[in-house]
Amino acid sequence: MFRFILRRIAIAIPTMLILIIISFVLIKSAPGGPFTSERPLPEQVLANIEAKYGLDKPYHQQLIDYIVGIVTRGDFGPSFRYKDRTVNDVIAQGFPVTLTYGFWSFIVAVSVGVSLGIIAAIFHNSWIDYFAVGISIGAQVLPNFVMAPILVIIFTLWLNWLPGGGWHGGQWQYIIMPVIALSTSYMASIARIMRSSMLEVLNSNFIRTAKAKGLSWRRIIFKHALKPALLPVITYLGPAFVGMITGSVVIDMYFSTGGIGREFVNSALNRDYSVIMGITILFGFLTISFNLLVDILYAWIDPKIRY
Amino acid sequence: MVKMVIGAKKIAEMAENIASKEMGKSHSLWADAFRRFFKNKASVTSLIVLILIVIFAFGAPYISKWNNEEIDWAILGSINELGRPSLANGHYFGTDDLGRDLFVRVAQGTQISLLVGFVGALIAVIVGTLYGAIAGYFGGKIDSFMMRLVDILMSIPYMFVLILLLVVFGRSIFMLFVGLGLISWLDMSRIVRGQTMVLKNKEFIEAAIAGGANHFTIIARHIIPNLLGVVIVYASLLVPGMILAESFISFLGLGVQEPNTSWGALISDGAKTVLHGRLWQLLIPLAFFVAGLFSFFFIGDGLRDALDPKDR
């Protein structure tokens, strides 16, 4: 197990490096430097600014400095558009918000999805099963950017129950719609995966044996069937996590929650390269670490996996 | 003489009958798939819906008296009342916030979304099939290197890299195609690789090697044609995936730019005006988006049932 974890980390590190290098190369190949503007700066001024940010060094040196800065000091460098703040400031400001509703979305998607899948499998071919299948098909075409405006129409415009946006320090009424919008399609996918794997497990021989022994339903489901049936769901957690991180950009844009996503889109529109790059790398790091965790969890649960 | 002519005719007819039956048999795999697909009610309905959407996308600009850039100044001040969908003033789907006719805008957006879907999927199919076939066919070190690269690329949050790509090289439809295509071939290459590894140990490949065919002939003439079923099934699911990705990016305002539009861009515009009560600006593009994606998913399902030998 320990060797497996080490080997998995040995893959994660080059992945991270490749992400940094890809973003770095992309940005360096952009036409014009970060300080090119409509009114060209005097050459001496430009040279001074570039020297200040270390942009006069050769590219490979800049790349090494950038990576060393991130690894040793957790420093993503300055914003090229706003002199008074760094990329770290941007992240520190928005990240707690993104983390809050992202965490709840993940919890909701997994817990509701898994429960719905189990219930649908137990009551196979009943109305509750059809209901679960129905929403899991429907939710394929209801991604976050479709859910968000629909929720606003229902809960803000018609029912007037919830505010249509804002954050206000994360009061519950401001969190509900972002969480539903972000989690629905993943909840549905998890329910679908859980249902089909649970059905398969419930039809297998060891469950028949358990039934023959006269075990109670609760014991069969939770003690015997749940663990093997969860495996396909665990493999899906990685993609679901990536999807939610990506979706958080839409949530921040639409609900004005003040998370990191809006900064990302605004810097994309302003070509504030260092902010885009910092956020991309931060999200890449989260994704890669999460995938690492999922793989370890999987290896731990599945006895068949070879280390 | 006459008798002989009749005889010859009859013989020819019989020969043709035999030949056509023979032809039928030799094509039975595809004919079977075709029959199976058209037995599936959901897929056939979806196919009809999709055809209607395509007809709308290309036909609507000819029906409407408005074009996609014209602003209807008469209603501009009071879109909430006069901009509603109505038959009287020719705005069948109402107008957008700038007084442009939504009927034509939706048609234009549909064209672009479909185009993005198909072109993105096509790029992914070409790159993914070649990559996967080469990795699977050669195996060994080449394979493990190529597939490790795919693993690594897969664990990168691609949407951010795509947005980075669009920011760096300018936000144009062309860049969107390239970006989506570059990113979406990964799954395809995995599927194709797996299938190729099964195929390459079959007798007909051995025969081709014994016949002196070189590697690229074998891949191009013997492996890829046999992958077609799997590739078609997966490609049919790639199209809605591409449309979703494009809509996501356009929703953020980073994708298709004015005066062009797409389903995502229209939904984005509509979503902004929801609280002003102009619901049609959101719901009409949304209806097309949902109907289009549903059709693609069900057609993909039908194709999989029809073509995938595993599920039978």
Side-chain angles (χ1 to χ4, degrees):
Chain A
M1 188 72 188
F2 185 64
R3 273 190 56 204
F4 170 79
I5 295 174
L6 273 187
R7 218 177 47 214
R8 209 34 209 76
I9 292 174
I11 299 170
I13 290 171
T15 311
M16 201 57 232
L17 279 179
I18 285 180
L19 176 64
I20 295 179
I21 293 169
I22 289 178
S23 0
F24 190 83
V25 169
L26 272 178
I27 281 183
K28 289 298 162 192
S29 57
F35 303 109
T36 330
S37 57
E38 260 136 60
R39 206 156 44 93
L41 294 163
E43 232 165 81
Q44 190 54 45
V45 176
L46 193 64
N48 281 341
I49 295 178
E50 291 197 331
K52 186 188 162 212
Y53 289 116
L55 294 173
D56 54 342
K57 294 179 190 164
Y59 284 156
H60 67 271
Q61 190 60 43
Q62 288 183 33
L63 177 62
I64 292 169
D65 287 351
Y66 187 68
I67 295 174
V68 166
I70 293 173
V71 173
T72 57
R73 287 170 277 132
D75 178 10
F76 288 99
S79 157
F80 287 148
R81 284 288 159 215
Y82 304 99
K83 283 191 187 62
D84 53 339
R85 59 177 197 175
T86 63
V87 180
N88 289 48
D89 292 339
V90 172
I91 291 174
Q93 202 184 8
F95 193 55
V97 173
T98 308
L99 199 63
T100 308
Y101 68 74
F103 172 78
W104 285 114
S105 305
F106 200 77
I107 298 287
V108 167
V110 173
S111 55
V112 177
V114 166
S115 327
L116 201 60
I118 293 176
I119 294 170
I122 294 175
F123 301 104
H124 186 41
N125 283 337
S126 69
W127 66 267
I128 192 160
D129 185 24
Y130 296 139
F131 173 74
V133 172
I135 46 173
S136 61
I137 293 174
Q140 274 187 326
V141 295
L142 294 177
N144 40 47
F145 60 90
V146 173
M147 278 303 285
I150 290 179
L151 287 174
V152 168
I153 291 180
I154 297 175
F155 290 108
T156 308
L157 194 66
W158 290 344
L159 298 173
N160 212 1
W161 285 354
L162 295 168
W167 186 244
H168 292 260
Q171 289 168 32
W172 62 270
Q173 61 269 50
Y174 293 92
I175 298 186
I176 291 180
M177 285 204 292
V179 167
I180 299 177
L182 194 53
S183 59
T184 301
S185 66
Y186 303 101
M187 186 267 287
S189 299
I190 290 175
R192 197 176 59 230
I193 295 168
M194 189 69 211
R195 173 183 173 272
S196 60
S197 82
M198 194 53 145
L199 279 177
E200 207 179 311
V201 170
L202 287 181
N203 283 327
S204 59
N205 291 334
F206 74 94
I207 296 296
R208 202 179 50 195
T209 310
K211 278 189 218 162
K213 280 199 297 185
L215 294 184
S216 71
W217 261 111
R218 189 175 303 176
R219 221 177 143 72
I220 291 174
I221 299 286
F222 291 102
K223 201 84 185 162
H224 297 277
L226 189 59
K227 208 164 129 182
L230 271 177
L231 287 175
V233 174
I234 290 173
T235 26
Y236 179 72
L237 291 184
F241 185 80
V242 176
M244 284 192 200
I245 276 198
T246 320
S248 76
V249 180
V250 161
I251 301 300
D252 283 333
M253 286 302 284
Y254 195 68
F255 290 111
S256 307
T257 33
I260 232 168
R262 174 169 289 239
E263 292 295 344
F264 183 77
V265 174
N266 285 344
S267 358
L269 292 168
N270 290 331
R271 298 175 152 249
D272 194 345
Y273 291 135
S274 56
V275 176
I276 308 174
M277 193 157 154
I279 294 176
T280 306
I281 289 170
L282 173 74
F283 282 162
F285 174 73
L286 286 177
T287 312
I288 291 164
S289 328
F290 187 82
N291 279 328
L292 182 69
L293 266 176
V294 166
D295 278 4
I296 292 170
L297 184 67
Y298 195 96
W300 180 57
I301 290 187
D302 187 359
K304 278 180 292 189
I305 201 136
R306 54 204 147 68
Y307 300 133
Chain B
M1 190 63 188
V2 175
K3 253 188 183 176
M4 267 188 63
V5 169
I6 292 170
K9 235 184 177 176
K10 237 181 183 173
I11 289 165
E13 214 169 84
M14 277 164 71
E16 205 173 304
N17 278 344
I18 293 167
S20 65
K21 265 178 199 154
E22 216 64 66
M23 289 287 279
K25 261 180 199 160
S26 68
H27 280 192
S28 68
L29 190 72
W30 289 100
D32 263 10
F34 206 69
R35 198 173 43 78
R36 264 198 300 273
F37 181 82
F38 278 94
K39 260 190 177 169
N40 187 334
K41 274 185 199 130
S43 325
V44 175
T45 316
S46 304
L47 192 62
I48 294 168
V49 171
L50 195 64
I51 290 170
L52 289 177
I53 290 176
V54 171
I55 292 173
F56 166 77
F58 291 93
Y62 297 102
I63 300 172
S64 176
K65 55 184 175 185
W66 303 95
N67 75 35
N68 58 326
E69 286 175 37
E70 208 173 347
I71 292 169
D72 187 356
W73 299 102
I75 60 150
L76 196 54
S78 43
I79 285 174
N80 265 356
E81 297 83 40
L82 298 176
R84 289 179 179 282
S86 98
L87 288 177
N89 60 8
H91 296 301
Y92 307 120
F93 288 175
T95 67
D96 69 2
D97 244 20
L98 297 174
R100 290 175 296 187
D101 182 54
L102 212 54
F103 187 68
V104 187
R105 293 276 291 168
V106 170
Q108 186 196 7
T110 307
Q111 283 178 19
I112 289 182
S113 278
L114 293 177
L115 193 69
V116 170
F118 282 108
V119 175
L122 188 70
I123 297 175
V125 164
I126 293 170
V127 177
T129 308
L130 284 177
Y131 195 93
I134 289 171
Y137 179 76
F138 288 109
K141 280 208 176 103
I142 297 177
D143 175 47
S144 51
F145 173 76
M146 286 174 86
M147 282 300 133
R148 181 61 65 226
L149 194 67
V150 169
D151 286 346
I152 288 178
L153 289 177
M154 272 190 140
S155 55
I156 289 173
Y158 69 94
M159 200 55 95
F160 293 93
V161 179
L162 178 56
I163 290 173
L164 198 64
L165 207 67
L166 286 170
V167 170
V168 168
F169 295 108
R171 299 190 292 270
S172 65
I173 296 186
F174 174 74
M175 215 43 231
L176 202 60
F177 286 155
V178 173
L180 285 172
L182 279 179
I183 282 154
S184 50
W185 56 271
L186 299 169
D187 281 315
M188 182 61 108
S189 72
R190 274 192 175 170
I191 293 166
V192 167
R193 167 183 173 265
Q195 206 59 19
T196 307
M197 289 174 75
V198 176
L199 281 176
K200 75 170 179 188
N201 295 321
K202 293 261 162 81
E203 288 84 353
F204 70 93
I205 300 294
E206 215 173 301
I209 296 172
N214 67 29
H215 293 314
F216 288 95
T217 317
I218 292 176
I219 291 178
R221 295 279 295 277
H222 299 288
I223 302 240
I224 289 180
N226 281 295
L227 292 170
L228 224 53
V230 184
V231 169
I232 289 174
V233 169
Y234 190 66
S236 68
L237 295 170
L238 263 177
V239 176
M242 296 292 103
I243 293 177
L244 268 170
E246 183 277 329
S247 301
F248 180 87
I249 292 173
S250 292
F251 185 85
L252 298 175
L254 297 170
V256 174
Q257 301 292 308
E258 292 281 348
N260 284 320
T261 190
S262 74
W263 284 341
L266 288 166
I267 291 173
S268 170
D269 288 346
K272 282 175 199 147
T273 61
V274 153
L275 287 178
H276 304 295
R278 296 165 205 156
L279 288 188
W280 71 90
Q281 292 177 353
L282 172 69
L283 295 181
I284 290 169
L286 203 59
F288 274 86
F289 175 85
V290 168
L293 284 191
F294 256 135
S295 319
F296 277 117
F297 281 128
F298 280 122
I299 290 171
D301 257 13
L303 284 174
R304 189 176 53 210
D305 291 345
L307 286 171
D308 195 346
K310 259 179 294 178
D311 282 0
R312 248 174 271 151

